[in-house]
Every structure is written in structure tokens, then in C-alpha cells.
Amino acid sequence: MFKHQHPYAPYIPKTATKLIVGTLPPPRFCNKEFKEGDVDFCYGSRDGYLWIILNRIFKLNLLFEPTPEAIAQRKQFLNDYGIGICDIVASAEREKVDASDLGMKNVQTRNILWYLKEFPFIDTLLFMGGNSKNGPEYLFRKQLKEHQIKLEAISLNIPRIYQFYIANRMVKAVSLTSPSGAANRAVGAIPAYKALKKKHPNFNTIDFRVLQYVKHFK
């Protein structure tokens, strides 16, 4: 059984108003076995699209390479825009060494509610995936249930939007389409994507995510 430990501590600026919440990076990041194009930081896998999407939305001119400069660029962006990253999974066990959320067993989570209390300006959670088993929304719902906190649906369209109350404030939660390349097939089945693809033949799954993410990151 492979012990998949999250290699990065949460990165949360003191003034953060938004918090990115995912699960785990690919197992190779635990062993610092990087590929060309990887960045040794949260969501640094070359097979994921989060930083590609943010690079397009904010015109960041990011480097995609395993260098300190590439890490510094990402931290500077998070500081400048008040965005934190705190993946909900601290560790999990796997029979198969891959990055599948479904393959995780004995999942140990970080207490997102504690971080919301420690960082009082956060008013939006941005889930990097939805409510499928072991996804970030799925695991967060478990934490809310344990603390008897109600999650109220605001919109059930994609992306789904919710709200809940903690520490005398309302927090919005948005279940964005996962930035993982593994989610491309699911994106292709979304009616809104099909409609845009039919209208614009060159439109792709990253373009679809850019349109979705820009509304909630800016």
C-alpha cells in the first residue's frame, strides 16, 4: 500500500479572500521526481491546467519549469490577488500509485473550517472538482456534517454554487470543473461545452474552463 502524503503545506496569504481547495498532486511530487514542465509547487504538474488557466486569465507570463523563479512567480500572484491554496487531503493510502481521487483509501483531511476561522477575510472556497467520491466538495461536506453546518445550494448549474455560515460570516463555495487532464472526458459531455464546441470548432476543454474560472477568480 502506497502512502500518498501531500508534499506542500497550505499557502495562504494573511489577506486571502479566496481559497483553492483540491485533493493531492500526483505521487511523483512526494518523491520530488519531476518531469520537464513541472513546477515544485501546488498544482505544479505539467498534466494539470490550473496555472495554464490562471496564466491566461491574469496574463501572468508564468514560467513552466522546475526552477525557484517559477515558484516565486506563483507565490507572488497568490499574494497580489489574495488567493490561498489549502488542499483538503493531508494523506491517503493507495493500492495503485496514481492521482485518482477514487483510488484513495484511509483519507486523512485538513480541517478547512479551522483555516476559515484563522483567516477571517476568506469569503469564497474554490473547489478543484465536485462531489464525486473523495473529491474536494465530497470531503468538505463530511467536515460540515461533523460540525452540523448546513450547506445551502445557490445554483445547481455547472459550476454548482453553495453558501454556508461560519464564525459569524457567510462563505460561498464554488465547485469548479477539475483542472486535471483526467477530467477532459467529463468536460466533453457537458451540454454547455458541446454547444460552444459546435459553434466554435476550435474551442477546447481548457477554453471552457477559462470561461468558467474567470467569473470566480476575478
Side-chain angles (χ1 to χ4, degrees):
M1 191 74 74
F2 172 71
K3 179 68 177 292
H4 194 171
Q5 188 84 30
H6 203 300
Y8 304 113
Y11 188 90
I12 310 176
K14 290 182 179 179
T15 57
T17 59
K18 296 179 175 66
L19 189 65
I20 296 168
V21 182
T23 53
L24 285 168
R28 70 177 185 273
F29 278 71
C30 300
N31 302 321
K32 304 294 183 181
E33 296 172 350
F34 301 117
K35 297 179 180 180
E36 183 179 353
D38 284 341
V39 178
D40 187 11
F41 189 62
C42 307
Y43 297 89
S45 171
R46 71 178 190 180
D47 302 317
Y49 304 133
L50 178 60
W51 287 110
I52 292 173
I53 293 165
L54 296 178
N55 196 41
R56 284 178 55 176
I57 291 173
F58 292 94
K59 298 178 173 57
L60 300 174
N61 295 315
L62 293 177
L63 298 171
F64 290 85
E65 58 189 29
T67 62
E69 290 80 8
I71 298 170
Q73 284 182 330
R74 286 154 176 77
K75 289 183 176 179
Q76 187 64 56
F77 163 74
L78 296 172
N79 293 337
D80 288 347
Y81 285 88
I83 300 171
I85 299 177
C86 182
D87 287 340
I88 194 169
V89 178
S91 68
E93 294 179 342
R94 298 182 181 279
E95 292 180 356
K96 183 180 179 181
V97 183
D98 62 18
S100 164
D101 287 344
L102 281 174
M104 296 190 297
K105 298 183 177 180
N106 299 321
V107 178
Q108 303 298 312
T109 59
R110 292 168 172 162
N111 188 345
I112 301 298
L113 298 176
W114 181 86
Y115 286 100
L116 289 176
K117 292 175 182 177
E118 289 294 304
F119 295 87
F121 299 113
I122 295 173
D123 59 21
T124 305
L125 298 182
L126 299 169
F127 293 127
M128 298 292 103
N131 195 32
S132 58
K133 185 178 179 182
N134 292 337
E137 180 191 329
Y138 174 90
L139 295 172
F140 183 67
R141 282 176 174 272
K142 281 188 165 185
Q143 293 188 355
L144 290 178
K145 188 174 181 180
E146 289 170 3
H147 291 82
Q148 298 182 323
I149 297 175
K150 182 181 178 182
L151 188 66
E152 179 184 354
I154 301 301
S155 172
L156 293 179
N157 296 323
I158 296 174
R160 292 182 299 275
I161 303 173
Y162 309 93
Q163 68 180 22
F164 61 95
Y165 290 85
I166 184 172
N168 297 317
R169 75 183 191 276
M170 189 271 283
V171 177
K172 181 171 70 172
V174 184
S175 282
L176 295 167
T177 299
S178 170
S180 166
N184 283 342
R185 181 174 294 182
V187 174
I190 297 173
Y193 172 78
K194 289 181 178 180
L196 286 165
K197 182 71 172 176
K198 185 176 181 179
K199 189 174 182 180
H200 306 284
N202 293 327
F203 190 78
N204 61 39
T205 58
I206 297 178
D207 297 331
F208 180 77
R209 291 176 175 93
V210 169
L211 289 177
Q212 185 184 109
Y213 283 38
V214 69
K215 298 175 184 177
H216 301 286
F217 271 93
K218 276 201 164 182

